[in-house]
Amino acid sequence: MSAIFTFGVMFGFWIVFSGKFDIFHLGMGVLSSALVTWLSHDLLFDGHTKKLRATLIQIACFIRYMAWLSRQIIVANIHIAGLALSLHPTKHLDPRLIRFKTSLKTEFARFVLANSITLTPGTVTVRIKDDVFYVHAITAQSAGDLAGRTPSEMERWVAWVFEGGTL
Amino acid sequence: MIIDILVITMMITGLVFFTGTTVGIIRFPDFYTRVHAAGKGDTLSTVMFLGAMSLYILRDFSGESLLTFIKLILIVLYIFIASPTATHAIIDAGYEFRVPYWTRPSDKPSNEDDATDINKTMEDISI
Amino acid sequence: MEHFFIGMGVSILFLMLCNLYRVVAGPTVIDRILGVNVIGIKTTVLIILLGTIDRRVEMYIDIALGYALLNFITTIAVARFYQRIAPTVNSDKKESLHSASPSALIDEGAAVAGSAGGKGEIK
């Protein structure tokens, strides 16, 4: 199953990057994609793949999460540009380091959460130690969203996408 | 015509965010806040620029322009994954280096307009 | 439209020059890495702009893609390298380094540290 997925991804990349559709180039693409798939088919998707249906549902959930995240990214950019272009930036800054424990189990979900924290307004992930996140926040307000004892909104989203939590 | 206006608007928006990034990197007081400016300002502005480019390329539609469009989308996706990761690596290295940390000079309650409720609750938690 | 693209390219070039200030004058080496990373991302955009001006985007875009990949790899590699040699560079401050480690930085049970008054500052 994972081999078929890997072959599809590799061949798609080959077509996009070569841009030629004659029989010679496509044949070379099939050969090299098959070689790469045979060498490393368990790298791209981990071995214990779920059913196709579950994977498709997860991708759909992830696209919905991306829609929510892109709104956050726009807010973050406006926030940081406003801070930088304000007259006295140091007057509005109040940096601090916060720490919180996550309930996410899998490595990939933690990776997505860390990258999402970096993209959202005013926070950058500094370090992850097992299940503890160290986050640098640029203002007190942006720290307030993450510092509470209950899981933040973003963590609930990630848990909903990857681990079947409730939203 | 409409596509031209859209392209120009998106590019100018991207340029504003690029300017915000650059000014933030120059003006912010310490390393950690500069990382904030660099890590966030670049994603949206790059997406704006590349989106404007892809609109401009797709104006005269052909197979080749479609391939170029797909490659542009690949660059956008790649930057979306790579930029936070690079930011994370840089700030982690700086944290290991013990780069000096800037805090507010004093917490005198001079800025009443900024003193929101969350500020108070934060101090309550930390004590 | 071409003139507009040229103006955009010149503006980005000017912003890159401004970023170069941080690379030259950055207090620490990590600041310099940060400046180089930001310049690299702007270069990716600039290459595609050049391709549009030159009307050969399909060639320039491969260069831009390669540049984006290399920029990311460079940043990761240099940041990891300096992260690894950081303890030897700061070996004279070993005591303060330990007292400022994350677990000591934040009170157990409290979710927030490093607040404005600064009882738990990094340094």
Side-chain angles (χ1 to χ4, degrees):
Chain A
M1 197 66 206
S2 68
I4 296 171
F5 271 126
T6 311
F7 182 79
V9 171
M10 292 294 160
F11 195 56
F13 268 102
W14 174 277
I15 287 175
V16 169
F17 284 128
S18 78
K20 294 197 173 66
F21 295 98
D22 49 42
I23 194 76
F24 174 70
H25 285 90
L26 286 185
M28 292 296 280
V30 169
L31 272 182
S32 49
S33 305
L35 184 66
V36 173
T37 306
W38 177 59
L39 285 176
S40 60
H41 64 88
D42 49 351
L43 279 181
L44 192 55
F45 303 95
D46 49 355
H48 46 85
T49 43
K50 282 164 282 193
K51 298 224 168 55
L52 184 66
R53 196 176 133 76
T55 313
L56 285 180
I57 287 177
Q58 200 168 44
I59 289 173
C61 290
F62 191 70
I63 289 172
R64 204 180 140 199
Y65 172 65
M66 284 301 287
W68 178 80
L69 190 65
S70 48
R71 200 180 132 260
Q72 296 288 312
I73 289 170
I74 293 171
V75 171
N77 277 271
I78 292 171
H79 174 241
I80 207 79
L83 268 181
L85 297 174
S86 62
L87 274 180
H88 299 286
T90 52
K91 211 180 261 183
H92 303 286
L93 295 181
D94 191 7
R96 59 189 63 202
L97 193 74
I98 60 176
R99 177 185 72 169
F100 70 96
K101 238 176 155 70
T102 180
S103 56
L104 298 173
K105 297 292 187 296
T106 58
E107 294 271 319
F108 188 70
R110 285 177 191 166
F111 160 74
V112 171
L113 180 63
N115 272 12
S116 309
I117 284 173
T118 303
L119 284 173
T120 44
T123 45
V124 166
T125 312
V126 176
R127 185 166 292 182
I128 309 173
K129 232 185 219 174
D130 295 333
D131 59 344
V132 182
F133 277 59
Y134 296 93
V135 177
H136 186 265
I138 199 168
T139 59
Q141 193 161 14
S142 53
D145 300 338
L146 289 171
R149 285 174 188 280
T150 56
S152 59
E153 190 185 0
M154 182 186 303
E155 193 177 337
R156 274 182 279 132
W157 269 99
V158 177
W160 174 69
V161 173
F162 291 105
E163 293 172 359
T166 54
L167 196 60
Chain B
M1 189 60 204
I2 276 195
I3 285 184
D4 278 3
I5 292 175
L6 211 57
V7 166
I8 289 176
T9 317
M10 285 174 84
M11 278 201 176
I12 288 180
T13 318
L15 196 68
V16 167
F17 288 129
F18 263 151
T19 315
T21 308
T22 307
V23 175
I25 282 179
I26 292 175
R27 282 180 82 194
F28 278 174
D30 75 336
F31 162 73
Y32 299 94
T33 45
R34 278 176 218 141
V35 171
H36 277 268
K40 296 198 188 69
D42 272 345
T43 44
L44 186 62
S45 43
T46 312
V47 169
M48 282 285 172
F49 263 100
L50 298 189
M53 289 297 175
S54 51
L55 273 183
Y56 188 75
I57 290 165
L58 278 184
R59 207 174 49 165
D60 39 355
F61 189 84
S62 68
E64 196 146 12
S65 70
L66 193 66
L67 272 180
T68 316
F69 174 72
I70 293 174
K71 281 182 197 169
L72 271 174
I73 298 295
L74 276 180
I75 293 182
V76 168
L77 279 182
Y78 179 74
I79 282 179
F80 253 78
I81 298 172
S83 174
T85 314
T87 308
H88 174 73
I90 292 174
I91 199 171
D92 204 7
Y95 192 74
E96 195 73 33
F97 243 82
R98 307 289 158 204
V99 177
Y101 188 74
W102 182 88
T103 47
R104 233 168 226 240
S106 60
D107 52 348
K108 56 179 185 294
S110 63
N111 41 359
E112 287 89 3
D113 47 344
D114 284 358
T116 50
D117 288 333
I118 195 126
N119 215 337
K120 258 177 210 161
T121 54
M122 298 286 293
E123 284 182 7
D124 286 349
I125 292 170
S126 72
I127 289 169
Chain C
M1 209 59 190
E2 299 242 316
H3 292 100
F4 177 72
F5 284 149
I6 292 174
M8 277 291 141
V10 171
S11 314
I12 292 180
L13 206 61
F14 176 70
L15 288 179
M16 283 160 71
L17 275 180
C18 296
N19 270 325
L20 211 55
Y21 166 76
R22 185 49 68 198
V23 180
V24 173
T28 64
V29 70
I30 314 283
D31 283 292
R32 296 172 212 267
I33 299 172
L34 187 69
V36 170
N37 180 33
V38 172
I39 287 179
I41 290 178
K42 285 188 174 58
T43 311
T44 310
V45 175
L46 190 64
I47 289 173
I48 301 173
L49 259 175
L50 276 178
T52 317
I53 294 168
D54 209 13
R55 297 182 186 283
R56 289 163 72 192
V57 196
E58 64 275 5
M59 185 186 85
Y60 280 81
I61 197 150
D62 292 335
I63 305 172
L65 196 54
Y67 198 92
L69 291 164
L70 275 182
N71 181 44
F72 174 65
I73 302 280
T74 311
T75 310
I76 293 285
V78 179
R80 283 289 160 205
F81 172 69
Y82 279 105
Q83 187 181 18
R84 186 155 299 173
I85 69 165
T88 59
V89 171
N90 291 344
S91 59
D92 51 331
K93 309 180 203 163
K94 200 124 196 172
E95 287 311 307
S96 68
L97 190 146
H98 274 291
S99 69
S101 73
S103 54
L105 176 70
I106 300 159
D107 298 326
E108 281 302 324
V112 184
S115 67
K119 68 168 180 170
E121 302 160 8
I122 288 184
K123 191 158 184 185

